[in-house]
Amino acid sequence: AKKVAETLAGIAEGIGSLACPSRAGFDSGSDLDSNAARAREMQAVADAVDDALSHVLSPEGAVLRASLTRDAFAAADRHVERLAREEAGEEEEEEEGATSADTSASSRRHRDLLAASDVLALVEAARKTYVRAPKVWTPVVAAAAAKREASEIAAETARGVAARLTRENLRLLARDALRKR
Protein backbone atom coordinates (compact mmCIF):
# COMPACT_ATOMS: atom_id res chain seq x y z
CA ALA A 1 0.00 0.00 0.00
CA LYS A 2 2.90 2.35 0.77
CA LYS A 3 4.42 1.80 -2.70
CA VAL A 4 1.05 2.43 -4.36
CA ALA A 5 0.57 5.66 -2.42
CA GLU A 6 4.13 6.75 -3.17
CA THR A 7 3.69 6.00 -6.87
CA LEU A 8 0.32 7.76 -7.07
CA ALA A 9 1.79 10.84 -5.34
CA GLY A 10 4.63 10.85 -7.87
CA ILE A 11 2.19 10.55 -10.78
CA ALA A 12 0.09 13.40 -9.41
CA GLU A 13 3.19 15.57 -9.00
CA GLY A 14 4.34 14.73 -12.52
CA ILE A 15 0.94 15.48 -14.04
CA GLY A 16 0.90 18.75 -12.11
CA SER A 17 4.20 19.68 -13.72
CA LEU A 18 2.68 19.09 -17.15
CA ALA A 19 -0.23 21.37 -16.25
CA CYS A 20 2.14 24.07 -14.92
CA PRO A 21 5.38 23.73 -16.95
CA SER A 22 7.02 26.65 -15.15
CA ARG A 23 7.16 24.49 -12.03
CA ALA A 24 8.79 21.49 -13.76
CA GLY A 25 12.11 20.07 -12.56
CA PHE A 26 13.44 19.26 -9.11
CA ASP A 27 12.39 21.28 -6.10
CA SER A 28 15.46 22.75 -4.45
CA GLY A 29 15.76 22.49 -0.70
CA SER A 30 18.27 24.08 1.65
CA ASP A 31 21.17 22.10 0.21
CA LEU A 32 21.05 23.84 -3.17
CA ASP A 33 24.33 22.58 -4.61
CA SER A 34 23.61 18.92 -3.85
CA ASN A 35 20.01 19.14 -5.06
CA ALA A 36 21.04 21.04 -8.19
CA ALA A 37 23.70 18.45 -9.02
CA ARG A 38 21.23 15.58 -8.54
CA ALA A 39 18.66 17.46 -10.63
CA ARG A 40 21.16 17.92 -13.48
CA GLU A 41 22.16 14.25 -13.35
CA MET A 42 18.56 13.05 -13.34
CA GLN A 43 17.66 15.43 -16.18
CA ALA A 44 20.64 14.19 -18.21
CA VAL A 45 19.51 10.59 -17.73
CA ALA A 46 15.93 11.50 -18.63
CA ASP A 47 17.12 13.32 -21.75
CA ALA A 48 19.16 10.29 -22.82
CA VAL A 49 16.20 7.96 -22.25
CA ASP A 50 13.96 10.37 -24.16
CA ASP A 51 16.41 10.40 -27.10
CA ALA A 52 16.58 6.60 -27.14
CA LEU A 53 12.81 6.24 -26.93
CA SER A 54 12.35 8.82 -29.69
CA HIS A 55 14.40 6.63 -32.02
CA VAL A 56 12.90 3.32 -30.93
CA LEU A 57 9.37 4.72 -31.27
CA SER A 58 9.97 6.43 -34.62
CA PRO A 59 9.10 4.96 -38.01
CA GLU A 60 12.85 4.34 -38.48
CA GLY A 61 12.85 2.21 -35.32
CA ALA A 62 10.33 -0.32 -36.68
CA VAL A 63 12.96 -3.02 -37.33
CA LEU A 64 14.49 -2.46 -33.88
CA ARG A 65 11.05 -2.66 -32.20
CA ALA A 66 10.29 -5.91 -34.01
CA SER A 67 13.69 -7.35 -33.04
CA LEU A 68 13.33 -6.31 -29.40
CA THR A 69 9.88 -7.84 -29.16
CA ARG A 70 10.92 -11.06 -30.92
CA ASP A 71 14.08 -11.40 -28.81
CA ALA A 72 12.24 -10.71 -25.55
CA PHE A 73 9.68 -13.41 -26.27
CA ALA A 74 12.34 -15.87 -27.43
CA ALA A 75 14.23 -15.31 -24.17
CA ALA A 76 11.02 -15.72 -22.16
CA ASP A 77 10.21 -18.94 -24.01
CA ARG A 78 13.71 -20.32 -23.34
CA HIS A 79 13.39 -19.40 -19.66
CA VAL A 80 10.05 -21.20 -19.29
CA GLU A 81 11.46 -24.23 -21.15
CA ARG A 82 14.47 -24.27 -18.79
CA LEU A 83 12.15 -24.11 -15.76
CA ALA A 84 10.15 -27.04 -17.11
CA ARG A 85 13.33 -29.08 -17.70
CA GLU A 86 14.60 -28.27 -14.19
CA GLU A 87 11.30 -29.32 -12.67
CA ALA A 88 11.39 -32.57 -14.62
CA GLY A 89 14.94 -33.17 -13.39
CA GLU A 90 16.38 -33.11 -16.87
CA GLU A 91 19.94 -32.00 -17.50
CA GLU A 92 20.76 -29.20 -19.91
CA GLU A 93 21.09 -30.48 -23.43
CA GLU A 94 24.66 -30.63 -24.71
CA GLU A 95 25.33 -30.64 -28.40
CA GLU A 96 27.45 -33.50 -29.68
CA GLY A 97 31.06 -32.42 -29.99
CA ALA A 98 30.57 -29.33 -27.82
CA THR A 99 33.66 -28.28 -25.91
CA SER A 100 33.58 -27.38 -22.23
CA ALA A 101 33.95 -23.71 -23.28
CA ASP A 102 30.86 -24.08 -25.52
CA THR A 103 28.94 -25.73 -22.69
CA SER A 104 30.11 -23.04 -20.27
CA ALA A 105 28.98 -20.27 -22.65
CA SER A 106 25.62 -21.99 -23.08
CA SER A 107 25.25 -22.32 -19.33
CA ARG A 108 26.13 -18.63 -18.87
CA ARG A 109 23.57 -17.66 -21.50
CA HIS A 110 20.86 -19.53 -19.58
CA ARG A 111 21.86 -17.87 -16.31
CA ASP A 112 21.84 -14.45 -17.99
CA LEU A 113 18.17 -14.74 -18.98
CA LEU A 114 15.85 -12.55 -16.98
CA ALA A 115 13.65 -14.53 -14.65
CA ALA A 116 10.24 -13.26 -13.54
CA SER A 117 11.79 -12.00 -10.31
CA ASP A 118 14.43 -10.09 -12.32
CA VAL A 119 11.73 -8.39 -14.39
CA LEU A 120 9.88 -7.43 -11.21
CA ALA A 121 13.10 -5.98 -9.79
CA LEU A 122 13.59 -3.91 -12.98
CA VAL A 123 10.02 -2.62 -12.77
CA GLU A 124 10.55 -1.67 -9.12
CA ALA A 125 13.80 0.15 -9.97
CA ALA A 126 12.00 2.09 -12.71
CA ARG A 127 9.17 2.95 -10.30
CA LYS A 128 11.62 4.22 -7.69
CA THR A 129 13.46 6.30 -10.29
CA TYR A 130 10.19 7.85 -11.44
CA VAL A 131 9.04 8.59 -7.88
CA ARG A 132 12.39 10.30 -7.10
CA ALA A 133 11.82 12.86 -9.86
CA PRO A 134 8.30 12.69 -11.29
CA LYS A 135 8.50 16.20 -12.72
CA VAL A 136 11.51 15.11 -14.78
CA TRP A 137 10.16 11.72 -15.87
CA THR A 138 6.48 12.47 -16.56
CA PRO A 139 7.18 14.41 -19.78
CA VAL A 140 9.42 11.56 -21.01
CA VAL A 141 6.81 8.89 -20.24
CA ALA A 142 3.95 11.00 -21.63
CA ALA A 143 5.79 11.77 -24.88
CA ALA A 144 6.62 8.08 -25.41
CA ALA A 145 3.11 6.90 -24.53
CA ALA A 146 1.55 9.42 -26.94
CA LYS A 147 3.31 7.89 -29.97
CA ARG A 148 1.35 5.54 -32.23
CA GLU A 149 4.30 3.15 -32.23
CA ALA A 150 4.03 2.78 -28.45
CA SER A 151 0.48 1.48 -28.79
CA GLU A 152 1.62 -0.86 -31.56
CA ILE A 153 4.38 -2.38 -29.45
CA ALA A 154 1.99 -2.61 -26.47
CA ALA A 155 -0.54 -4.48 -28.64
CA GLU A 156 2.17 -6.82 -29.97
CA THR A 157 3.38 -7.46 -26.43
CA ALA A 158 -0.17 -8.16 -25.23
CA ARG A 159 -0.69 -10.64 -28.10
CA GLY A 160 2.59 -12.38 -27.27
CA VAL A 161 1.81 -12.59 -23.58
CA ALA A 162 -1.72 -13.87 -24.26
CA ALA A 163 -0.34 -16.59 -26.52
CA ARG A 164 2.00 -17.76 -23.77
CA LEU A 165 -0.37 -17.38 -20.82
CA THR A 166 -1.03 -20.98 -19.96
CA ARG A 167 -1.73 -22.40 -16.53
CA GLU A 168 1.50 -24.42 -16.68
CA ASN A 169 3.65 -21.43 -17.68
CA LEU A 170 2.14 -19.30 -14.92
CA ARG A 171 2.75 -22.05 -12.37
CA LEU A 172 6.39 -22.42 -13.44
CA LEU A 173 7.02 -18.66 -13.37
CA ALA A 174 5.30 -18.17 -10.00
CA ARG A 175 7.27 -21.05 -8.51
CA ASP A 176 10.51 -19.56 -9.85
CA ALA A 177 9.70 -16.08 -8.49
CA LEU A 178 8.80 -17.46 -5.06
CA ARG A 179 11.94 -19.60 -4.93
CA LYS A 180 14.11 -16.51 -5.56
CA ARG A 181 12.50 -14.40 -2.82
Side-chain angles (χ1 to χ4, degrees):
K2 179 182 176 190
K3 288 181 182 180
V4 171
E6 181 182 59
T7 303
L8 290 175
I11 291 170
E13 184 179 342
I15 290 171
S17 73
L18 289 179
C20 300
S22 64
R23 295 180 56 204
F26 260 79
D27 290 330
S28 295
S30 59
D31 190 1
L32 293 175
D33 290 339
S34 177
N35 283 341
R38 280 196 303 267
R40 284 190 302 276
E41 287 174 7
M42 187 65 76
Q43 189 62 57
V45 171
D47 290 345
V49 169
D50 189 39
D51 287 345
L53 286 173
S54 290
H55 173 70
V56 170
L57 297 175
S58 72
E60 295 79 23
V63 172
L64 177 58
R65 285 192 307 279
S67 294
L68 288 171
T69 304
R70 182 183 60 247
D71 291 351
F73 282 125
D77 291 344
R78 285 191 307 271
H79 180 66
V80 170
E81 290 166 6
R82 184 183 57 79
L83 292 174
R85 282 193 308 273
E86 284 177 2
E87 186 175 71
E90 297 175 17
E91 293 295 319
E92 290 293 323
E93 306 159 1
E94 286 188 31
E95 293 182 28
E96 240 179 85
T99 66
S100 63
D102 293 337
T103 305
S104 173
S106 173
S107 177
R108 248 191 332 275
R109 212 173 25 252
H110 285 296
R111 279 194 313 271
D112 292 343
L113 292 177
L114 292 178
S117 57
D118 299 325
V119 173
L120 292 174
L122 286 171
V123 169
E124 176 61 12
R127 186 196 71 78
K128 284 180 178 178
T129 300
Y130 177 87
V131 168
R132 260 188 238 123
K135 292 178 183 179
V136 172
W137 287 102
T138 298
V140 174
V141 173
K147 294 190 178 210
R148 178 180 52 82
E149 292 84 358
S151 63
E152 290 171 1
I153 199 167
E156 183 63 29
T157 301
R159 281 191 294 275
V161 168
R164 291 161 175 80
L165 206 57
T166 65
R167 178 182 293 176
E168 180 62 14
N169 287 351
L170 287 173
R171 187 185 67 73
L172 288 168
L173 291 169
R175 184 171 176 248
D176 182 51
L178 290 172
R179 183 177 43 208
K180 291 183 178 183
R181 286 186 117 200

